[in-house]
Amino acid sequence: VLVGNVNPAQSPVAASTGFAQNMTVTATAGTSFNLLAGDWVLAYGAGEVRGKARLITNPVLQSATLFFNISGDQELPIYFVVERGGVVVAQSETVLLYGANTQVGTLAKPLLLKFYEGPGSTISVYPNPFSQKVLVNINVPGTGVALHVVKVGIYNELGELIIMLPEAAVKSGLYHTSWNGKIANGSSSARGIYFIKVTIDGSTHIEKVIKY
């Protein structure tokens, strides 16, 4: 076990002072992005930094690992960005649902954080499979202040539309929404395979999810 502060490289986060509860996350970065020793990884929730960490050695795996204490008092999506020299250079495909006084990942099996960098449209969902709610993380491409129309529809295995989520007009960058597993009439959907169809300014992207 680690003694004392599990992340001696972690600095206090101002947004966390107002919360008595926290979620601990033990994570590692995927190979698709080269996370450097001096990079800060920031955990965002409700538009503010709720935790931050740098790589330190995991005593069990003897590999570089991130240890977060993420504060909050309500269920909300948590995503991660990489800050290098004060500039954000990558964002996470991985999105967590905050849970007070919970733990995600362990020293023996850290959570894998997948990062992407540069422009492009990326869609990820979490958790998958899911039971009650699935988070949809969308990277809206482009620059500037122009608004982009984002539409999200849920389709069953037969390709039938079962519900459309509220349309949104958003700026470039990360946009988050969620599906509560219900169909248009308000009843719960059955277990099985579903397809989340995201349309950004007329360009379509599809991600498969499984409800159990």
Side-chain angles (χ1 to χ4, degrees):
V1 297
L2 295 175
V3 178
N5 185 355
V6 296
N7 186 3
Q10 184 172 16
S11 294
V13 177
S16 296
T17 58
F19 304 104
Q21 300 172 313
N22 63 74
M23 176 173 73
T24 60
V25 178
T26 303
T28 185
T31 58
S32 60
F33 178 78
N34 184 26
L35 189 62
L36 305 180
D39 292 341
W40 281 109
V41 180
L42 311 180
Y44 273 86
E48 61 185 2
V49 179
R50 294 293 183 89
K52 60 189 296 187
R54 279 177 167 156
L55 292 170
I56 63 172
T57 300
N58 181 329
V60 173
L61 300 180
Q62 292 300 311
S63 60
T65 305
L66 298 158
F67 298 95
F68 296 91
N69 289 315
I70 301 173
S71 298
D73 59 2
Q74 60 182 331
E75 185 179 276
L76 78 169
I78 300 292
Y79 68 94
F80 302 83
V81 304
V82 177
E83 186 178 88
R84 182 176 295 163
V87 177
V88 173
V89 295
Q91 302 173 83
S92 66
E93 295 181 3
T94 308
V95 180
L96 301 179
L97 188 62
Y98 177 83
N101 301 324
T102 59
Q103 177 179 332
V104 177
T106 64
L107 291 174
K109 191 175 182 179
L111 170 72
L112 176 61
L113 292 180
K114 296 181 180 180
F115 292 99
Y116 60 83
E117 56 183 325
S121 299
T122 299
I123 301 169
S124 63
V125 295
Y126 181 88
N128 188 16
F130 77 102
S131 61
Q132 295 181 325
K133 179 188 288 187
V134 59
L135 304 175
V136 184
N137 179 37
I138 305 167
N139 179 33
V140 180
T143 58
V145 297
L147 295 180
H148 303 270
V149 177
V150 177
K151 301 177 182 180
V152 180
I154 312 299
Y155 294 76
N156 63 19
E157 203 169 4
L158 299 176
E160 300 168 331
L161 176 67
I162 61 171
I163 191 170
M164 284 293 299
L165 302 185
E167 183 177 308
V170 302
K171 296 181 180 179
S172 302
L174 284 175
Y175 170 67
H176 304 285
T177 187
S178 64
W179 177 44
N180 61 5
K182 295 183 178 181
I183 62 177
N185 65 10
S187 61
S188 295
S189 59
R191 297 178 180 180
I193 297 174
Y194 294 89
F195 297 93
I196 298 177
K197 178 181 177 181
V198 176
T199 303
I200 306 172
D201 296 335
S203 178
T204 299
H205 313 267
I206 298 175
E207 189 76 20
K208 181 176 75 174
V209 295
I210 299 173
K211 184 182 179 186
Y212 66 89

